[in-house]
Amino acid sequence: MIWAPLFAVTLVATVATGPVGDQLGPNTAARRGDALRAALHAATECVVRTIAADPRTQHGDVDAIIGELIVDSMPACAGKMREMIEVYDASFGPGSGEAFFMGPYLDLLPTAAGLRLKAGSHAP
């Protein structure tokens, strides 16, 4: 007789104190991670495709001018960059997307873009 009320109290306490992600649904974190990966991929691919289409890539060492090529690709990829920042903000809080973009993303973009260009993993 006492087991049913005790079980109910234990269940309510567990649900009330469980992780926020679990309360929102078991796949919330996974969906956010998928959305972030897709946004990162789309932004980086935009840069790689824009660089690959630039005539300067045919006339010399891309590694020497990769920074300039990335800067020149930004107007064409601004929408994808904005989407990536917004998805990052939605996952980690307001302002985190811009901090990520201005820091780790731009720090690693020359290497990532250069490797993709060398591997030919882009569709011009």
Side-chain angles (χ1 to χ4, degrees), residues 12-33:
V12 169
T14 302
V15 169
T17 60
V20 173
D22 289 346
Q23 291 175 1
L24 296 174
N27 295 322
T28 301
R31 284 192 305 260
R32 285 186 180 174

Side-chain angles (χ1 to χ4, degrees), residues 33-124:
D34 290 345
L36 187 53
R37 275 188 294 282
L40 284 166
H41 179 75
T44 304
E45 280 304 305
C46 181
V47 170
V48 171
R49 287 184 183 137
T50 303
I51 290 172
D54 191 304
R56 292 176 290 176
T57 61
Q58 309 303 319
H59 302 294
D61 185 18
V62 173
D63 290 337
I65 59 170
I66 192 78
E68 183 180 331
L69 292 167
I70 289 171
V71 169
D72 292 347
S73 74
M74 285 298 148
C77 298
K80 295 292 183 191
M81 296 300 158
R82 174 60 34 211
E83 288 174 24
M84 178 186 65
I85 290 168
E86 289 172 0
V87 170
Y88 205 93
D89 280 349
S91 296
F92 299 105
S96 61
E98 188 171 339
F100 171 73
F101 172 76
M102 295 299 291
Y105 183 76
L106 287 181
D107 289 346
L108 295 174
L109 186 57
T111 301
L115 289 172
R116 287 187 184 184
L117 286 165
K118 286 177 185 168
S121 64
H122 58 281

